[in-house]
Amino acid sequence: MAAVKSLQPRLISSFLGDRSIRSTQPLTHLFRFDLGGRRHVSMQLSRTFSGLTDLLFNRRNEDEVIDGKRKRLRPGNVSPRRPVPDHIIKPPYVDSLKAPGISSGLEVHDKKGIECMRASGKLAARVREYAGTLVKPGVTTDEIDEAVHNMIIENGAYPSPLGYGDFPKSVCTSVNECICHGIPDSRPLEDGDIINIDVTVYLNGYHGDTSATFFCGNVDEKAKKLVEVTKESLDRAISICGPGVEYKKIGKIIHDLADKHKYGVVRQFVGHGVGSVFHADPVVLHFRNNEAGRMVLNQTFTIEPMLTIGSRNPVMWDDNWTVVTEDASLSAQFEHTILITKDGAEILTNC
């Protein structure tokens, strides 16, 4: 899940190109980065533009075929929230119905904290890979959520997305044109789909955050290349990390590779510090930028690039979470939690 620190909180919507429409709705759970001279907590508000939602999902378009192959993604039915046993330690934000947003200050750890981060990262990675084995035509994302939920609590951890603001599920499942924060539902996966599964676990007071994009059945070469390049962009970004390295170098190396393959880089959703809190400083931008800041020994944060074949502009569904590309072009994402070490970076969310 992407978040960003703000000095001047405001909510905006950017559905209509350069026209920004402000809203006073008390929604604080989905953040974007605004490159104006300051940072803003802001979001895409589809409910402000019900006409656009109607255009995307009315009866005329419900069977629209994209690229002559797949249908435009549509919401399914969302099952009730799954229970968590009382003995499982929960993050402070659970049941508050308010997402805490970004916490100021870096997540820098002592020896004990590092070991806790390694444990939560390892579990998140195991859950991610297990979830990937479930990706098959006919399986619903709700079934994946159920399996993820059960595996996390069986390991004594809490599924961090569940109850983050009003997010109703234990994992994010983003299919095809869904950029991020897809809510698991009754839609069966189809042959040729790609799906990002975003797992975060809260274990012994620390969050481990990771995601990967998986193939469902026979995926065409265009989709395979997008997924492979997105994974490569993450790997390249991690390879340059280390104490004293500027965060902005992450954005440059990702953007350079995306440009080489003529892919879009989603700008509205960012990597973030992670540890004892879900979202903390720094804001990690995946595109070229001139933001200040350098990496610090023993800090942890995520890198989570989102690349698109077509438009990089996001549209949010009326659930106030699911974000899709405005032209229904494919999007892929990969994410790791990393620890800055004296020798570079340790990937905490590898199996």
Side-chain angles (χ1 to χ4, degrees):
M1 286 187 169
V4 59
K5 180 183 177 184
S6 171
L7 302 177
Q8 292 282 328
R10 70 178 176 128
L11 305 181
I12 70 172
S13 175
S14 59
F15 282 120
L16 301 183
D18 293 332
R19 288 177 285 173
S20 292
I21 308 297
R22 295 197 182 197
S23 170
T24 57
Q25 288 180 265
L27 301 172
T28 57
H29 59 260
L30 184 60
F31 302 94
R32 68 183 286 269
F33 189 84
D34 191 333
L35 281 179
R38 306 178 69 84
R39 294 179 180 181
H40 301 283
V41 171
S42 52
M43 67 184 71
Q44 319 301 313
L45 300 174
S46 66
R47 287 181 180 173
T48 305
F49 300 101
S50 59
L52 177 60
T53 303
D54 288 343
L55 176 64
L56 290 175
F57 301 115
N58 66 15
R59 184 174 299 174
R60 184 184 65 183
N61 289 334
E62 67 182 0
D63 292 325
E64 179 183 355
V65 176
I66 309 300
D67 293 335
K69 297 178 181 178
R70 59 185 171 86
K71 293 180 182 179
R72 185 185 288 271
L73 190 65
R74 291 177 55 80
N77 297 319
V78 178
S79 64
R81 177 170 167 168
R82 293 186 166 88
V84 176
D86 291 339
H87 71 275
I88 299 291
I89 298 174
K90 302 174 179 61
Y93 55 77
V94 173
D95 298 325
S96 70
L97 297 180
K98 293 182 180 180
I102 196 96
S103 175
S104 62
L106 305 179
E107 282 286 316
V108 180
H109 306 282
D110 58 17
K111 184 176 180 180
K112 179 180 178 181
I114 289 172
E115 289 308 309
C116 287
M117 284 299 298
R118 284 178 174 142
S120 64
K122 184 72 72 176
L123 176 59
R126 286 173 48 215
V127 174
R128 180 198 66 220
E129 293 306 298
Y130 170 62
T133 67
L134 305 177
V135 174
K136 296 178 178 65
V139 174
T140 68
T141 51
D142 188 62
E143 290 172 322
I144 293 174
D145 178 78
E146 181 179 22
V148 164
H149 180 90
N150 290 338
M151 182 175 180
I152 292 172
I153 63 175
E154 285 168 4
N155 282 274
Y158 184 88
S160 302
L162 185 65
Y164 185 86
D166 60 355
F167 195 82
K169 290 295 177 181
S170 299
V171 67
C172 297
T173 52
S174 301
V175 179
N176 293 335
E177 67 263 34
C178 186
I179 295 171
C180 60
H181 302 161
I183 297 176
D185 62 22
S186 62
R187 178 192 180 274
L189 294 173
E190 298 179 2
D191 188 62
D193 284 347
I194 60 173
I195 175 174
N196 177 268
I197 300 178
D198 191 339
V199 174
T200 312
V201 305
Y202 185 68
L203 179 65
N204 297 324
Y206 291 82
H207 298 271
D209 193 0
T210 183
S211 83
T213 300
F214 298 94
F215 300 140
C216 181
N218 299 303
V219 175
D220 67 29
E221 292 304 314
K222 182 187 293 188
K224 285 182 180 179
K225 181 181 176 184
L226 173 68
V227 172
E228 290 165 359
V229 172
T230 305
K231 176 62 165 61
E232 182 182 354
S233 76
L234 174 60
D235 292 342
R236 289 191 182 194
I238 293 172
S239 73
I240 56 94
C241 291
V245 175
E246 295 174 299
Y247 298 116
K248 67 182 182 182
K249 290 188 176 181
I250 291 173
K252 183 179 187 306
I253 199 167
I254 291 170
H255 209 153
D256 285 351
L257 183 62
D259 279 354
K260 178 181 177 182
H261 294 278
K262 297 182 170 55
Y263 292 147
V265 182
V266 175
R267 299 186 178 209
Q268 286 81 357
F269 304 99
V270 300
H272 52 87
V274 64
S276 59
V277 297
F278 198 166
H279 297 112
D281 283 335
V283 171
V284 181
L285 305 180
H286 304 117
F287 55 92
R288 295 186 197 94
N289 66 88
N290 290 312
E291 292 295 304
R294 295 176 182 270
M295 300 171 200
V296 175
L297 183 67
N298 294 337
Q299 78 168 127
T300 50
F301 60 87
T302 71
I303 306 174
E304 44 189 297
M306 289 150 269
L307 304 188
T308 64
I309 285 179
S311 173
R312 62 176 174 81
N313 296 323
V315 170
M316 186 193 284
W317 284 3
D318 283 344
D319 61 23
N320 284 321
W321 283 104
T322 307
V323 179
V324 298
T325 56
E326 66 176 357
D327 60 357
S329 62
L330 292 176
S331 177
Q333 179 187 18
F334 283 85
E335 174 186 12
H336 275 308
T337 296
I338 65 170
L339 167 72
I340 299 302
T341 69
K342 63 183 178 62
D343 299 317
E346 176 184 342
I347 300 174
L348 299 180
T349 45
N350 267 343
C351 284

